[in-house]
Amino acid sequence: MKTESYTVIGKSVPRVDMPDKAFGRTKYTNDVTIPGVLHAKLHTSTRAHAVIKSINLAKAWEVPGVRAILTGDAFPFPVGPMLADRPPLAVNKVRYCGEPIAVVVADNIHQAKKAATLIDVEYEDLPVVNSPAEAMKSNAQLIHENLSNYKVQVKGVYPTPNTNIANLTKIRKGNMQTGWEASDITIESRVSFTPADHAALETRCARVEILSNGRVMVYSSTQGPFYVRKLLSEFFHIDAGMISVQTPLVGGAFGGKGTVQLEFIAYLASRAVGGKMVKIENSREEDLIMSPVHIGLDASVKLGATKDGKLKAAEIKFLFDSGAYSDTGAGISKAAASDCTGPYAIENVHCDSYCVYTNHPYATSFRGFGHPELTFAVEKAMDKLAARLQVDPFELRLLNAIGPGDTTPTQVNLNASNIGDVSSCLTKIRNLIGWNPNKNVQTTRDGKIRTKGISCFWKTSSTPPNATAGAVLTFNTDGSINLNCAAVELGQGTKTVLGQILAEKLKMDTKDIHVTLEVNTQYDPHQWKTVASSTTMIAGRAVLAAAEDAIKQLKNVGSTVLKSSPEDLDIAKGRIFLKDSPEYGVKITDVAVGYKYPNGNTVGGLVVGNGSYNVRHLTPLDPETGFGKPGPQWGVGAQAVEVEYNPKDYTYKIVKAATVLDAGKVINPQAAIGQMRGGMYLGLSWATRESFTFDDKGIVLNPQLRTYDILRASETPEYLVDFVETPLVDGPYGARGMGEYGVIGMAGALANSLSAACAADLNQLPLTPELIWKLVEGKGDVQ
């Protein structure tokens, strides 16, 4: 059997952004100081749900340096990526505590802050909807009375007028009656958790300037510069070509910077002061509760299985807490429905996935896009089923692992390329964590209990059917190559991987590939967003296409110079040469800008490689059955967590966390391990610590990092990472995406491990000692 031999792919190449970051030279959006820039500050709501009776700006206008103060009247029209339901500044009423009501523009930030605090708003309180379950009641207070009038921006979003439902996605596969009749055993499981935050190191920020010719210059910390341009163009009726969005490196995002919020406000502010540049930046508290958050969920899962453990039926209900506005919550609820069963083959599936309005801060994408959430629900149910069947949870998962020949909940036919190998991931995780059903629960000499928990995960990227990426290659006189594309470097190492893909294709050293880190929509080719673990595939394929275009041009000119057919030539190590006589060739540097003969005549011209890639063969989901193809492929894997639990005080220590991912082809092993470790940390931090606490009025009680708890470095476990490689046919060199997968199964594996340790059903997050005490002692349950 022939095996591929690569020179760059599969090697741990240092990251291209490492030196500048290590020496502190990297400039992020907020690091740029511009003389004369004006500063904007928001006045935000102190109520979660209330009518705005009046806004008094008199005292704010008295502050020296104030140039403009805007309220919702400045642009009283709703915006939103999937359902246009959110005004940039509140109009008539507020729907969450922290919602922007007014923006002050002043000469400096101190003046803007002072003026913002002097704005006086008179409210008339409305009943607060504080949970998805409450929002679903027939007599619930409506958060959006005009839901039927909102414009649906993306096909496949189905709001229900006169309710608090922003979207409902239905999955109907097989026949549920048949499934229940074939089941010897059924179990039901419920889970719940409130919204949390992304807590990226860099808070959200933006600058906007409107030039005298009408061109809008936007500088933003965003995962989607072209997406910012698209929405600004659509909602403010600006020609897209008149908008330039520039993004340097981004200081962490985790999905939270895939939305558009501050850019709208900064544009309105700049417009109000004659186009002068206005800068707006979140404080940490604003970033936590004013800007969009990580979605919450109430879920119920019912599973039916034969007595030997074969799954026959699944009935699932997701109530996603999207907060006051839908933003991408509508897409999250759809994505969770598409993969609602986890990576298990189930013939009969019924799922209703709701995106529900509450009076909480509104939600947006979080690393995994609905999959850490659904996986927690499904994996808790799987362990509950294993206990009922009295079988090893590992063997139950292995028996039901989805694979080639099976179909997804949306009835996509699976093969080795598009599904990978769940069973091999399970087998590897068993060895990695040392899984032994007879020894997974052990008591130490000091009375602590050591246990292990396991979970499986899968995810397809919920990309639009026209998601695209482009790449442009230009040659330097020293033979090196510049690579321009609009993938955003936000810490995941994408630009390094794209450089490796190009170096492999052109048979060059990576040191001769110069990847442009910054993104500018005016010069870079279009790219959808840097989200959904899709950049390696989409942008990677665009880079390969650009390389092939450049190779074709180089060979055409080289064939003239070498007096041969282009098919007889090859390219490697900066040369174009005859395949059967490698010593006979010409340097790329002599050809890339046109070859000059000794007599002065030239042939060819400037070689510029252009390439693009569009996601293919995706289809919308049928609104009644969910039938359709939501994504190009599924990433699959398994995770495990070992804990040491102290039954005396309900505390625990995470000892080990393990991940095995089917990566298709690992392009940069060390970077891939780092990706998994970072994701595992994020998943464990969310599962153990991170959550907003709301009072009965919908107010967040922990809006600062001193009270919003995050897993500390000293509390992190030993991380174990391994990979399976089942090539993805459409992937560059067979690679699949991996950016999100380290997060997805952590909460499920941890909860299963701790549930075994304390002999209780830990079905809420975060898994704090107080919560464990309540559930063990029967003092609390899912609300």
Side-chain angles (χ1 to χ4, degrees):
M1 180 178 176
K2 181 182 177 181
T3 58
E4 296 285 353
S5 178
Y6 298 120
T7 58
V8 180
I9 298 298
K11 305 297 188 295
S12 294
V13 174
R15 287 177 50 154
V16 297
D17 55 333
M18 180 179 66
D20 284 343
K21 285 184 174 178
F23 287 99
R25 295 190 295 258
T26 299
K27 296 293 184 183
Y28 297 90
T29 300
N30 214 23
D31 290 332
V32 178
T33 301
I34 300 174
V37 65
L38 301 179
H39 294 263
K41 202 64 187 175
L42 294 166
H43 178 91
T44 60
S45 170
T46 58
R47 312 295 175 87
H49 200 197
V51 174
I52 300 174
K53 296 192 70 177
S54 66
I55 304 175
N56 190 333
L57 307 176
K59 291 183 179 179
W61 274 114
E62 294 175 359
V63 176
V66 172
R67 300 292 189 93
I69 304 177
L70 286 75
T71 63
D73 293 338
F75 189 81
F77 310 105
V79 299
M82 309 193 82
L83 178 67
D85 60 1
R86 172 176 58 87
L89 299 170
V91 176
N92 298 328
K93 66 183 287 189
V94 293
R95 296 179 172 90
Y96 70 97
C97 181
E99 180 168 5
I101 294 177
V103 59
V104 177
V105 185
D107 291 338
N108 63 54
I109 188 64
H110 307 292
Q111 295 165 337
K113 282 182 178 180
K114 183 176 180 180
T117 61
L118 293 174
I119 294 173
D120 184 34
V121 180
E122 183 182 357
Y123 300 99
E124 179 182 317
D125 287 330
L126 294 170
V128 172
V129 179
N130 222 3
S131 72
E134 186 179 341
M136 292 290 287
K137 293 179 179 178
S138 59
N139 62 345
Q141 173 76 25
L142 291 182
I143 297 173
H144 290 269
E145 299 85 354
N146 299 317
L147 182 55
S148 60
N149 297 330
Y150 294 152
K151 181 183 177 183
V152 174
Q153 296 288 108
V154 175
K155 185 177 180 181
V157 175
Y158 304 102
T160 306
N162 301 314
T163 72
N164 288 317
I165 300 170
N167 184 47
L168 168 60
T169 301
K170 302 176 184 178
I171 301 295
R172 306 290 187 265
K173 175 187 174 184
N175 184 292
M176 293 308 297
Q177 182 177 350
T178 302
W180 298 129
E181 289 174 353
S183 301
D184 300 313
I185 291 176
T186 63
I187 61 95
E188 295 186 46
S189 177
R190 299 175 64 204
V191 302
S192 177
F193 47 84
T194 61
D197 193 59
H198 303 78
L201 280 174
E202 177 197 31
T203 61
R204 299 165 177 96
C205 54
R207 302 192 310 275
V208 172
E209 180 181 20
I210 305 172
L211 304 181
S212 58
N213 63 358
R215 179 173 292 280
V216 180
M217 308 297 292
V218 182
Y219 307 84
S220 174
S221 176
T222 176
Q223 293 176 252
F226 281 93
Y227 198 64
V228 172
R229 187 179 77 169
K230 174 181 182 290
L231 295 189
L232 280 171
S233 175
E234 287 181 3
F235 289 117
F236 296 99
H237 306 292
I238 311 167
D239 290 341
M242 293 295 289
I243 303 172
S244 172
V245 182
Q246 299 179 40
T247 298
L249 280 74
V250 172
F254 316 117
K257 292 173 182 170
T259 190
V260 182
Q261 183 196 32
L262 295 186
E263 296 87 351
F264 291 144
I265 297 172
Y267 169 76
L268 291 171
S270 177
R271 193 173 70 175
V273 292
K276 292 182 182 295
M277 181 177 286
V278 175
K279 175 181 179 181
I280 186 168
E281 57 184 286
N282 278 352
S283 66
R284 177 57 64 181
E285 183 168 333
E286 287 169 334
D287 216 54
L288 280 163
I289 63 170
M290 184 274 289
S291 284
V293 300
H294 175 197
I295 207 162
L297 175 67
D298 288 350
S300 61
V301 179
K302 181 180 179 181
L303 298 178
T306 63
K307 60 185 177 181
D308 60 358
K310 191 65 177 176
L311 289 168
K312 289 296 181 181
E315 186 175 319
I316 300 164
K317 185 177 182 179
F318 296 136
L319 299 181
F320 280 99
D321 182 354
S322 191
Y325 300 103
S326 62
D327 198 75
T328 52
I332 292 169
S333 61
K334 174 187 170 185
S338 299
D339 289 342
C340 61
T341 60
Y344 304 112
I346 308 178
E347 300 168 0
N348 307 291
V349 181
H350 181 290
C351 175
D352 286 330
S353 184
Y354 295 87
C355 172
V356 180
Y357 290 122
T358 66
N359 290 121
H360 293 162
Y362 71 95
T364 193
S365 309
F366 178 83
R367 196 170 180 178
F369 204 69
H371 289 73
E373 298 79 11
L374 81 87
T375 302
F376 174 60
V378 170
E379 291 302 315
K380 283 297 301 171
M382 287 295 286
D383 259 37
K384 201 166 188 176
L385 178 61
R388 181 74 180 277
L389 290 165
Q390 296 183 330
V391 299
D392 179 10
F394 173 87
E395 295 297 338
L396 180 65
R397 288 168 170 84
L398 191 62
L399 173 66
N400 291 286
I402 203 164
D406 294 323
T407 59
T408 71
T410 66
Q411 302 179 58
V412 177
N413 293 311
L414 297 175
N415 54 58
S417 170
N418 64 15
I419 189 57
D421 195 338
V422 182
S423 297
S424 290
C425 292
L426 274 166
T427 301
K428 276 200 171 186
I429 202 79
R430 175 170 55 188
N431 297 329
L432 203 59
I433 199 68
W435 184 272
N436 184 332
N438 300 318
K439 296 182 179 180
N440 281 339
V441 180
Q442 294 184 319
T443 302
T444 64
R445 290 182 178 179
D446 56 358
K448 296 176 182 177
I449 302 172
R450 279 211 173 197
T451 57
K452 296 170 183 175
I454 196 169
S455 68
C456 287
F457 63 83
W458 72 339
K459 180 185 182 294
T460 187
S461 59
S462 299
T463 50
N466 61 342
T468 187
V472 176
L473 309 180
T474 54
F475 289 77
N476 300 309
T477 55
D478 61 357
S480 63
I481 297 178
N482 306 312
L483 167 57
N484 279 65
C485 67
V488 177
E489 181 54 68
L490 43 88
Q492 79 282 37
T494 287
K495 296 284 182 144
T496 304
V497 165
L498 294 179
Q500 286 183 258
I501 291 171
L502 179 59
E504 187 67 52
K505 184 66 177 178
L506 294 178
K507 301 175 184 176
M508 298 175 62
D509 195 303
T510 53
K511 68 179 179 60
D512 294 323
I513 305 293
H514 305 296
V515 188
T516 303
L517 294 173
E518 301 79 10
V519 176
N520 187 327
T521 60
Q522 192 171 350
Y523 308 121
D524 292 321
H526 188 277
Q527 179 158 324
W528 169 54
K529 290 183 187 179
T530 304
V531 295
S533 302
S534 61
T535 307
T536 295
M537 190 182 88
I538 299 176
R541 285 293 302 270
V543 168
L544 285 176
E548 289 166 358
D549 182 43
I551 289 169
K552 181 178 180 180
Q553 296 176 54
L554 290 169
K555 285 184 176 181
N556 283 338
V557 179
S559 67
T560 301
V561 175
L562 300 174
K563 296 180 175 58
S564 64
S565 170
E567 291 75 22
D568 294 335
L569 300 178
D570 202 354
I571 292 177
K573 298 181 179 179
R575 295 178 67 247
I576 308 167
F577 53 87
L578 287 172
K579 293 177 182 178
D580 58 356
S581 299
E583 71 280 1
Y584 185 58
V586 61
K587 293 180 179 179
I588 287 178
T589 53
D590 296 333
V591 173
V593 294
Y595 182 80
K596 183 178 179 181
Y597 287 104
N599 64 4
N601 291 332
T602 61
V603 293
L606 185 65
V607 174
V608 178
N610 296 287
S612 65
Y613 181 77
N614 278 69
V615 175
R616 301 174 294 177
H617 311 308
L618 303 188
T619 63
L621 302 186
D622 183 274
E624 295 303 319
T625 66
F627 180 87
K629 188 177 181 182
Q633 55 92 26
W634 282 258
V636 299
Q639 293 183 302
V641 172
E642 181 177 350
V643 300
E644 187 175 83
Y645 169 70
N646 189 341
K648 295 179 181 179
D649 59 8
Y650 308 97
T651 60
Y652 63 92
K653 175 185 177 182
I654 305 172
V655 180
K656 294 179 181 178
T659 296
V660 175
L661 173 71
D662 192 333
K665 176 64 183 178
V666 179
I667 293 178
N668 188 319
Q670 200 58 48
I673 291 171
Q675 274 276 47
M676 292 303 103
R677 288 175 174 171
M680 292 157 76
Y681 166 83
L682 183 62
L684 289 173
S685 186
W686 168 55
T688 60
R689 298 284 195 278
E690 298 190 41
S691 177
F692 287 128
T693 301
F694 296 92
D695 67 12
D696 58 359
K697 296 180 180 180
I699 310 300
V700 176
L701 300 179
N702 56 332
Q704 301 161 333
L705 286 184
R706 66 171 64 95
T707 52
Y708 180 89
D709 204 6
I710 295 174
L711 192 68
R712 294 160 178 79
S714 61
E715 299 169 318
T716 56
E718 177 185 1
Y719 292 121
L720 308 172
V721 179
D722 203 351
F723 300 96
V724 170
E725 292 187 327
T726 307
L728 172 66
V729 171
D730 284 340
Y733 298 102
R736 305 172 187 271
M738 62 171 60
E740 299 168 288
Y741 295 101
V743 179
I744 295 177
M746 279 289 101
L750 176 65
N752 286 337
S753 182
L754 278 172
S755 294
C758 64
D761 184 17
L762 303 184
N763 57 359
Q764 297 181 48
L765 297 177
L767 294 163
T768 62
E770 181 182 5
L771 174 72
I772 296 172
W773 167 71
K774 286 181 178 180
L775 294 178
V776 169
E777 301 298 331
K779 300 180 183 296
D781 199 358
V782 173
Q783 300 298 313

